[in-house]
């Protein structure tokens, strides 16, 4: 049985989006409205299962009457609002934000970022070869996760997924300040000594590949990771009675990764260590 | 929630101070960190662990909070440390020479050598300044201002004496016609009797007679605008909060004065602390708050001492607590919160996160504080100077108040004069006084020198040229002239000032103080500083014109897309130097 949340009927709010009148249910964000009418707005820190962090500023749009640009991922549509997603100011902002990010972090495994950069003509190298970066060695202190913080854009999603929004483990937090801000356990203690329960929900939401499953990381390293050869099969986890949906990513008849559908009403994309990592027995042939 | 703690245990001294927080919650995290820092001078794994156990805070989060504040150290350091100010006003007054000698004699700045470089300490009228700190059973702090390298070296070795600074002084002390500064330097700041003998608590009596709506009407009709920098109408803020059906309401007095060149709130708190407490009580009454927080920046030990005294005396005499001044049903009390070295915590929503025990990162608005502020409840946030205008309005009446100043900017205003000026200090003048009149009051630039520029409004403000001194100091005139009064900074630069390094200090300040939450500010302030270094040092990436263009583009994205006012204004002063002072031309020559 599929459960569809119906909820209370919602009023429609009318506003102007890039010169056209659009009606969306009350409470919808500008980003929701853009998605509904088929406009694509780049996002990085936005997560479909998380509250908006408002941190990356890639999705900024112009709202008439507002002194600054506004984040479309969190700003709710108000009646009569006049929104422009493609004005010169928004284009400039998007280009610069992508350039700043690209100048400080390794975006090589961030999906879509190349398209966005070429669409707005972003060139991160123009800050020069001496521009300070966040590049650093990869951290591998356990058999399940790899943390490559040179790719971290500080979107807060892993912290939110680990904390009160989903897992309530609170193993990681943002530490430091300004350009030195980074994701850390207490006193940068190794993950096995921290409160981490290896649910992998932080990796599920990471938008850049800064966090990855060891298996995927190793296969990428040795050049055997090939998504075009992978199938995805969604099934139900057999470990307990909760009924979590598992999506098995299979390459060459081997499970290489397990995720969960974000629209699953049971998991909302989250799993525990068993569903996420407890599949080796399937392959004991 | 089960907490997974580290194995580390606290020392006996750490355990004793942390145990005092038993039974309390997350919002005591910052006070608990202070308690450990005051006792031992740094936060060890064992101490943090114990804080987490007592307050029930996840260790990773407590670590995130502790590492946010520059006054705390998570690695071992000696109990004694001197914070030497290298910010704008001190830079103009010889801070570099002080630091050079300290580097020679004590070694490079760092915890091990006993001294650290500090952003503005808020004693710009006595620049250069330093603040000595020594942890112990009773932590000691001593302000050294004006100081010199010899004194810093001596105090770094011997530790601070228990003196926490000299009595507050203003150049106009005792002059007739003063309203905000009338008691500063004249009336004993420790005596409630002296305060009452000079008109203290008359305004609260009036307020209790007028009722909350009456007070809000008076403040609104007086057209009181916020004095912290944003100039928002105070009456509207109070009214919007008072109307919220959700309870409780909170009041936050923003005394996290950290804008370089600003020290007016410190003078008010040190010179007239009871006025701050009375004003907060009136604001709490008007907006329906039963609790007020006074968020005081961590580097103001004397203000802390005097405010604590004022609060406890007011409480003893029924001016705080239940049924204030015998008024049935109005209860109000004040808790002081010490900041710990983070400029961003003066942002009106970051201050909530800091008080609640989270990292002092600004929140996204909307929702605005009047709807969901501290602990998610309707909250009024007011600057110290804004608040102390309220008793003036209530005792003189809003009509008399509006006759002070101009149509659009009513009332008296405090300006902080520092830099190359003969008589630096806080001056009270009516809005509408011209910049040149204000400079004359302070004696102008030292004899034999020529005025080069005035930084108006602070690091987030803008420059004014010597030929623009006719500018009437009002909100509207400043806006029309493309600048801002900000927090009342008037930092004077004469022909001996090195504009390039002054601008570099502004850029470094914003890089250091960015909270790191949003990309434009976190990375933009770094790129701004890098490009400015190339421009000032004449080492362009390709051409200086290209660096200039880069600087402008980065500035624009910070202004357009940063979450809060820090990032949005991080480029203001630099842009104004480039365009208004002609530094763009000079640098690309």
């Amino acid at each position: 049985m599929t459960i569809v949340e119906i909820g209370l009927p919602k009023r429609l709010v009318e506003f102007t989006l890039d010169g056209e009148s659009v009606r969306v249910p009350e409470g919808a964000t500008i980003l929701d409205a853009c998605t509904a009418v088929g406009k694509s707005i780049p996002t990085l820190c936005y997560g479909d299962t998380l509250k908006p962090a408002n941190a990356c500023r890639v999705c900024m749009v112009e709202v008439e009457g507002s002194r600054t640009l506004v984040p479309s991922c969190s700003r709710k549509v108000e009646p009569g609002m006049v929104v422009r997603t493609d004005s010169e100011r928004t284009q400039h902002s998007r280009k610069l934000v992508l350039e700043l990010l690209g100048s400080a972090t390794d975006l090589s495994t961030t999906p879509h970022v190349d398209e966005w950069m070429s669409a707005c003509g972003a060139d991160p190298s123009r800050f020069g070869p001496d521009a300070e970066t966040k590049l650093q060695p990869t951290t591998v202190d356990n058999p399940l996760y790899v943390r490559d913080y040179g790719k971290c854009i500080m979107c807060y999603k892993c912290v939110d997924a680990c904390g009160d929004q989903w897992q309530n483990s609170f193993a990681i937090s943002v530490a430091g300040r300004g350009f030195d801000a980074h994701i850390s356990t207490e006193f940068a203690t190794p993950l096995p000594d921290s409160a981490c329960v290896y649910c992998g929900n932080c990796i599920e939401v990471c938008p850049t590949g800064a966090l990855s499953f060891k298996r995927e990381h190793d296969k990428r390293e040795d050049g055997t990771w090939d998504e075009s050869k992978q199938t995805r099969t969604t099934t139900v986890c057999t470990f307990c009675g909760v009924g979590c949906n598992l999506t098995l990513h299979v390459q060459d008849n081997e499970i290489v990764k397990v995720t969960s559908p974000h629209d699953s009403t049971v998991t909302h994309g989250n799993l525990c260590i068993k569903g996420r990592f407890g599949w080796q027995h399937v392959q004991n042939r | 929630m089960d907490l997974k703690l580290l194995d580390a245990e606290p020392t006996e001294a750490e355990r004793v101070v942390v145990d005092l927080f038993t039974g309390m919650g997350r919002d005591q995290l910052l006070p608990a960190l202070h308690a450990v820092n005051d006792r031992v001078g740094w936060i060890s794994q064992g101490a943090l662990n114990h804080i987490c156990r007592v307050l029930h805070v996840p260790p990773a989060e407590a670590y995130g909070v502790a590492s946010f504040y520059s006054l705390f150290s998570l690695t071992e350091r000696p109990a004694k440390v001197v914070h030497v100010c290298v910010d704008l006003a001190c830079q103009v007054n010889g801070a570099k020479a002080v630091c050079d000698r300290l580097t020679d004699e004590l070694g490079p700045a760092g915890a091990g050598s006993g001294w650290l470089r500090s952003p503005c300490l808020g004693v710009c009228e006595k620049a250069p300044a330093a603040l000595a700190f020594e942890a112990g059973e009773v932590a000691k702090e001593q302000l050294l201002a004006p100081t010199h390298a010899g004194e810093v070296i001596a105090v770094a070795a011997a530790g601070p004496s228990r003196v926490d600074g000299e009595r507050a002084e203003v150049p106009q002390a005792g002059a007739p016609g003063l309203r905000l500064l009338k008691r500063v330097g004249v009336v004993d700041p420790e005596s409630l009797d002296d305060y009452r003998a000079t008109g203290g608590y008359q305004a609260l009596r009036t307020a209790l007679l007028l009722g909350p709506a009456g007070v809000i009407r008076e403040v609104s009709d007086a057209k009181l605008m916020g004095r912290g920098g944003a100039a928002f109408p105070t009456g509207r803020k109070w009214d919007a909060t008072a109307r919220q059906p959700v309870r409780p309401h909170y009041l936050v007095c923003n005394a996290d004065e950290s804008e370089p060149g600003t020290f007016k709130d410190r003078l008010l708190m040190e010179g007239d602390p009871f006025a701050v407490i009375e004003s907060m009580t009136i604001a709490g009454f008007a907006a329906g708050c039963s609790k007020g927080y006074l968020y005081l920046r961590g580097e103001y030990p004397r203000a802390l001492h005097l405010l604590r005294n004022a609060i406890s005396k007011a409480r003893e005499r029924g001016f705080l607590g239940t049924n204030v001044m015998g008024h049935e049903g109005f209860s109000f009390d004040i808790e002081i919160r010490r900041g710990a070295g983070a400029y961003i915590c003066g942002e009106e929503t970051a201050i909530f996160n800091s008080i609640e025990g989270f990292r002092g990162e600004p929140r996204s608005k909307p929702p605005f504080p009047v709807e969901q502020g501290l602990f998610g409840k309707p909250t009024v946030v007011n600057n110290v100077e804004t608040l102390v205008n309220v008793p003036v309005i209530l005792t003189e009446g809003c009509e008399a108040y509006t006759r002070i100043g101009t149509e659009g900017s009513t009332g008296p205003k405090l300006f902080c004069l520092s830099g190359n000026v003969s008589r630096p200090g806080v001056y009270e003048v009516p809005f509408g006084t011209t910049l040149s009149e204000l400079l004359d009051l302070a004696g102008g630039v030292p004899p034999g020198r020529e005025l080069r520029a005035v930084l108006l409004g602070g690091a987030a403000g803008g420059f004014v040229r010597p030929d623009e001194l006719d500018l009437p100091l009002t909100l509207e005139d400043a806006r029309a002239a493309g600048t801002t009064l900000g927090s009342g900074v008037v930092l004077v630069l004469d022909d001996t000032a090195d504009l390039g390094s002054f601008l570099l200090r502004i850029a470094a300040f914003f890089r250091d103080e960015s909270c790191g939450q949003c990309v434009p500010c976190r990375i933009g302030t770094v790129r701004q500083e890098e490009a400015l270094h190339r421009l000032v040092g004449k080492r362009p990436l390709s051409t200086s014109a290209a660096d200039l263009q880069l600087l402008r583009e980065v500035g624009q994205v910070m202004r357009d897309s940063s979450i809060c006012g820090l990032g949005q204004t991080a480029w203001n002063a630099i842009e104004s130097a480039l365009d208004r002072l002609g530094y763009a031309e000079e640098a690309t020559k």
Side-chain angles (χ1 to χ4, degrees), chain A residues 57 89 93 126 132 176, chain B residues 67 359 361 527 553 560-561:
Chain A
R57 317 306 268 185
R89 252 176 111 196
S93 171
R126 69 194 185 106
E132 199 179 337
Chain B
S67 61
R359 291 165 55 80
E361 293 170 354
R527 299 293 174 254
E553 289 188 27
D560 277 344
S561 296

Side-chain angles (χ1 to χ4, degrees), chain B residues 162-361:
Chain B
R162 272 238 56 198
V163 190
D164 42 18
E166 292 157 33
R167 199 169 164 154
E169 284 166 3
V170 287
Q172 292 166 302
L178 291 182
R179 292 178 170 86
L180 307 176
L181 296 181
K182 67 176 176 184
R183 295 189 193 90
V184 178
V186 179
V187 173
D188 179 3
E190 302 202 48
S191 165
L192 178 53
D193 291 328
D194 287 11
Y195 179 66
R196 295 189 69 193
T198 49
Y201 280 109
Q202 277 176 15
L204 178 58
R205 190 174 299 281
T206 308
L208 296 174
L209 289 172
L210 285 172
V215 176
I216 292 174
R217 196 173 52 240
E218 286 286 311
V219 171
S220 301
D221 290 351
K223 296 193 269 184
L224 175 62
M225 303 288 204
R227 307 290 202 243
F232 191 83
T234 306
R236 255 171 61 196
K237 212 184 250 185
W238 291 12
D239 187 47
T241 307
R243 286 172 188 278
Q244 298 289 328
V246 178
R247 298 281 149 166
H249 295 178
Y250 289 105
L251 170 73
V252 175
C253 172
N254 188 344
D256 190 44
E257 177 174 71
S258 318
E259 179 77 34
T262 315
F263 47 99
K264 62 188 176 69
D265 294 341
R266 176 180 57 80
L267 260 302
L268 287 171
M269 292 183 288
E270 291 182 359
D272 200 0
F274 287 100
V276 179
I277 303 307
E278 181 186 357
S279 307
M280 283 182 70
T281 313
I282 297 169
F285 176 65
C289 316
S290 54
K291 172 125 195 207
Y293 286 87
L294 197 159
Y295 192 96
L296 179 69
R297 71 172 298 196
E299 295 89 340
Y300 281 177
R302 184 168 166 83
L304 176 68
H305 161 75
L306 289 167
L307 287 165
R308 275 184 179 155
N309 171 69
I311 289 172
S312 96
K313 287 196 172 141
R315 215 177 266 149
E316 256 168 45
R317 303 268 284 271
F319 292 107
L320 286 175
T322 43
N323 300 336
V324 172
M325 274 184 109
H327 190 86
E328 282 292 321
F330 173 51
S331 300
F332 184 75
D333 215 328
I334 297 174
E335 185 175 334
I336 298 179
R337 280 306 172 86
R338 279 157 82 193
Y343 169 68
I344 189 60
C345 289
E347 200 275 344
E348 65 171 356
T349 56
I351 207 168
F352 303 148
N353 281 339
S354 182
I355 293 173
E356 291 177 22
F358 292 87
R359 291 165 55 80
E361 293 170 354

